[in-house]
């Protein structure tokens, strides 16, 4: 089932953004891998068991796979949207759990938290793709 034409602009732009993010992490040096790993494992302690270079390699491949799934129209919107929602929920979780990302007693981001807070748009896009696809199937 091909995605609805109205899904294509949001899937292409979001997919290209995420694919580029993953592509940029390809071949990251040890310092960059350590920073990304440290930030993620500070929020999700189970990641401490994964070596930084392996973590960044998996993150890079995952982002490129997700970006490609969004851009390739043969992947159903419900699958691409659910994948995007899960990925972005992890990023939003980092925003909520990492000290210094939000203003005290507020959901509003600090300057440091802005880069993660903006990822909430991907959660909304993923949820919209899933809901729209499910509702469209019910109508059919």
């Amino acid at each position: 089932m091909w995605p609805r034409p109205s899904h294509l602009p949001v899937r292409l732009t979001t997919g290209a953004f995420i694919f580029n993010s993953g592509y940029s992490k390809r071949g990251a040096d040890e310092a960059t891998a350590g920073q990304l790993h440290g930030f993620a494992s500070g929020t999700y302690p189970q990641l401490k068991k994964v070596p930084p270079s392996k973590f960044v390699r998996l993150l890079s491949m995952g982002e490129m796979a997700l970006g490609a799934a969004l851009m390739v129209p043969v992947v159903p919107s419900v699958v691409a949207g659910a994948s995007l929602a899960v990925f972005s929920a992890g990023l939003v979780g980092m925003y909520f759990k990492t000290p210094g990302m939000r203003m005290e007693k507020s959901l509003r981001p600090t300057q440091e938290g802005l880069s993660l807070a903006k990822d909430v748009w991907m959660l909304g896009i993923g949820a919209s793709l899933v809901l729209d696809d499910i509702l469209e199937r019910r109508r059919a």
Side-chain angles (χ1 to χ4, degrees):
M1 179 177 195
W2 289 90
R4 295 174 67 181
S6 61
H7 291 184
L8 294 176
V10 73
R11 286 184 61 165
L12 288 171
T13 55
T14 307
F17 183 88
I18 295 170
F19 186 91
N20 182 64
S21 179
Y23 188 79
S24 297
K25 290 176 181 77
R26 230 175 27 100
D29 61 26
E30 288 299 317
T32 302
Q35 285 179 324
L36 291 169
H37 181 261
F39 189 59
S41 64
T43 303
Y44 300 109
Q46 60 272 31
L47 294 175
K48 289 180 181 177
K49 297 176 185 175
V50 181
S53 59
K54 183 175 183 178
F55 169 77
V56 172
R57 188 172 65 252
L58 291 171
L59 178 61
S60 171
M61 291 187 316
E63 286 181 337
M64 289 191 297
L66 175 57
L70 284 160
M71 291 187 290
V72 176
V74 296
V75 177
S77 287
V78 70
V79 173
S83 300
L84 177 61
V86 168
F87 174 72
S88 58
L91 296 172
V92 172
M94 287 177 61
Y95 171 70
F96 282 117
K97 294 178 182 180
T98 304
M101 297 291 113
R102 295 181 291 128
M103 293 181 184
E104 193 172 322
K105 298 180 183 179
S106 175
L107 291 177
R108 294 178 53 216
T110 61
Q111 193 61 37
E112 294 80 22
L114 198 56
S115 63
L116 283 174
K118 68 168 180 52
D119 292 333
V120 73
W121 63 270
M122 291 192 300
L123 183 58
I125 290 169
S128 293
L129 288 170
V130 169
L131 287 171
D132 195 47
D133 205 35
I134 289 171
L135 293 174
E136 182 63 26
R137 288 174 194 239
R138 285 190 179 167
R139 281 183 233 133

